[in-house]
Amino acid sequence: MSATAPYDAVVLAGGRSTRLGGTPKALLLAGDSTLLETTLAAVPDAHNIAVAGPPELSNLLSSIELAGSAGTPLLVREEPAYAGPAAAVGAAVAALAALESSGSLNEGGLKDRGRSPWTMVLACDMPQIASAVRALLDAAAVPPAESLLAVDSSGNRQPLAALYRTADLRAAVASLAAEGLANKSMKALLARVQWRGVDVPPTSTADVDTWNDAQTLGVSAGDLP
């Protein structure tokens, strides 16, 4: 992507992981890195990053060194906890907007560099997401300048592997704020967002929902109980 089109990033890392017996997806290992670290490494040029997840992730985040970041990603939490991806996106988007308005360092030390016209939204359970991120960023340079959703090899759109126009994403969050985002679907959140699909490499958006998925994608629990 051109340097004139900066982006922020939102990473969702706080689901219940029910089909994994409650084992946090963010802490599963892909090689020597956690899935959270793997996802953050896929957006090294993000200006500001907000991670929506539990407070237990704070120690991990404080230890992560991001090549293109001015500091530690901002950790936020949707209210109530486990209120779904739309609520998590809303909490992260609101936090990034507040950071922009403050024009100062946040508690983690991440410095706002002015408004980013794009916001990358990623779930943290896709170990091969880096190639999809590259495809989305490349597509953003080609008109029209709509929000971009990854489309996998089966034709399924992936709203949690997407590059949104920041203004459109904020407007979508604001439109549902009065009634609340808790337990709203991503489909409801994106009802008024204009988007186009971007074909991404096979398996780049394959996610870890079950232990069979984890085995197929080379992901393990490591030392987690």
Side-chain angles (χ1 to χ4, degrees), residues 46-202:
H47 279 199
N48 295 306
I49 302 173
V51 175
E56 291 78 16
L57 295 179
S58 59
N59 289 338
L60 174 60
L61 287 175
S62 65
S63 69
I64 294 175
E65 295 184 6
L66 300 174
S69 171
T72 305
L74 181 66
L75 182 62
V76 302
R77 189 60 158 158
E78 71 276 8
E79 292 291 343
Y82 305 116
V89 169
V93 166
L96 290 175
L99 177 61
E100 175 190 303
S101 298
S102 71
S104 61
L105 296 178
N106 66 38
E107 292 181 359
L110 189 60
K111 188 174 184 179
D112 174 46
R113 306 178 196 179
R115 182 167 185 170
S116 296
W118 297 93
T119 299
M120 185 79 69
V121 174
L122 303 173
C124 77
D125 59 355
M126 297 175 281
Q128 299 174 27
I129 191 60
S131 58
V133 167
R134 287 193 294 271
L136 290 166
L137 293 175
D138 288 343
V142 180
E146 297 172 309
S147 293
L148 305 166
L149 271 61
V151 178
D152 66 20
S153 56
S154 298
N156 297 313
R157 65 179 186 177
Q158 304 291 341
L160 299 182
L163 184 63
Y164 295 99
R165 297 295 301 184
T166 298
D168 292 346
L169 187 58
R170 290 184 183 179
V173 169
S175 70
L176 292 180
E179 57 188 280
L181 284 163
N183 302 315
K184 290 289 192 304
S185 67
M186 285 301 295
K187 182 178 180 179
L189 178 61
L190 302 179
R192 298 180 182 178
V193 175
Q194 296 295 315
W195 60 272
R196 58 186 167 97
V198 175
D199 292 333
V200 296

